[in-house]
């Protein structure tokens, strides 16, 4: 990975995602913005789910708490996994210059 100011023939994450012109640079910028907005959306949904699950946990009978809590933990883990995937993917969105 090399840092470069040259925007000619840049490879962004995948070999198919290349910047050849000003238009493709602009479209890539829009794509990165959409990716980061999606990440923030997932984070917000995770926060809302955690708040609502805490409320639900307080409202259910004590004999069902363990069962419901297990399902909530699994869904929280899924939200966390999606957030980590998204964050690593966004970190990889640094222009790469193909050396070959």
């Amino acid at each position: 990975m090399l840092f470069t100011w040259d925007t000619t023939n840049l490879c962004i994450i995948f070999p198919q995602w290349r910047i050849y012109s000003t238009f493709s640079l602009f479209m890539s910028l829009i794509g990165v913005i959409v990716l980061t907005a999606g990440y923030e959306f997932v984070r917000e949904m995770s926060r809302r789910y955690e708040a609502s699950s805490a409320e639900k946990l307080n409202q259910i009978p004590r004999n069902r708490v363990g069962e419901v809590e297990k399902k909530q933990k699994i869904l929280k883990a899924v939200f966390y996994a999606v957030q980590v995937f998204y964050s690593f993917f966004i970190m990889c969105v640094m222009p790469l210059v193909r050396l070959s």
Side-chain angles (χ1 to χ4, degrees):
M1 181 165 61
L2 297 173
F3 184 76
T4 181
W5 290 102
D6 186 19
T7 58
T8 309
N9 200 19
L10 280 179
C11 176
I12 310 291
I13 300 180
F14 308 113
Q16 296 83 6
W17 188 354
R18 290 193 160 280
I19 296 175
Y20 291 110
S21 65
T22 305
F23 178 74
S24 60
L25 178 65
F26 179 73
M27 293 308 292
S28 294
L29 176 65
I30 297 297
V32 170
I33 290 170
V34 168
L35 279 173
T36 54
Y39 173 73
E40 289 299 324
F41 175 75
V42 170
R43 283 184 59 202
E44 182 62 28
M45 294 306 296
S46 176
R47 284 189 205 116
R48 288 183 185 187
Y49 176 74
E50 286 186 26
S52 71
S53 67
E55 284 181 21
K56 283 183 184 178
L57 202 57
N58 291 333
Q59 295 174 356
I60 62 170
R62 288 201 181 263
N63 61 349
R64 293 194 55 221
V65 168
E67 172 187 320
V68 172
E69 194 174 39
K70 186 176 180 179
K71 289 179 183 178
Q72 288 177 349
K73 283 184 180 182
I74 290 172
L75 197 52
K76 285 179 187 179
V78 168
F79 270 122
Y80 181 73
V82 170
Q83 285 180 16
V84 168
F85 171 78
Y86 243 125
S87 64
F88 281 123
F89 194 77
I90 290 169
M91 282 191 302
C92 288
V93 180
M94 292 183 166
L96 302 176
V97 176
R98 198 155 205 156
L99 298 175
S100 55

